[in-house]
């Protein structure tokens, strides 16, 4: 049985280490990642509105 908390802890430590070593790069990477997430949420929501009202389908 695997312990996912250990993997999460390792991921957090790696990100923390990268932020300490390359602060500018990680800041830009985090900003771009958040933009990608927000854009994806917006695109899915817009697609659902189009599917619901134009085609009568959707979630």
């Amino acid at each position: 049985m695997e312990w996912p908390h250990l993997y999460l802890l390792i991921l957090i430590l790696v990100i923390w280490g990268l932020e300490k070593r390359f602060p500018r790069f990680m800041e830009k990477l985090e900003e771009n990642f958040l933009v990608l997430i927000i854009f994806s949420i917006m695109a899915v929501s817009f697609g659902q509105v189009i599917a619901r009202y134009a085609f009568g389908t959707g979630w």
Side-chain angles (χ1 to χ4, degrees), residues 15-27:
I15 291 173
W16 179 77
L18 287 172
E19 283 183 347
K20 291 294 183 185
R21 182 132 172 107
F22 309 106
R24 277 275 194 235
F25 173 75
M26 289 303 290
E27 180 180 346

Side-chain angles (χ1 to χ4, degrees), residues 3-13:
W3 193 48
H5 299 94
L6 180 62
Y7 298 130
L8 183 59
L9 178 63
I10 291 170
L11 177 66
I12 290 170
L13 291 175

Side-chain angles (χ1 to χ4, degrees), residues 1 6-7 9 13-15 18 20 22-23 26 28-29 32-34 44 46 49 51-52 56 58:
M1 180 178 213
L6 180 62
Y7 298 130
L9 178 63
L13 291 175
V14 166
I15 291 173
L18 287 172
K20 291 294 183 185
F22 309 106
M26 289 303 290
K28 290 294 182 184
L29 183 70
N32 289 333
F33 184 66
L34 288 174
V44 168
F46 182 73
V49 169
R52 178 172 293 147

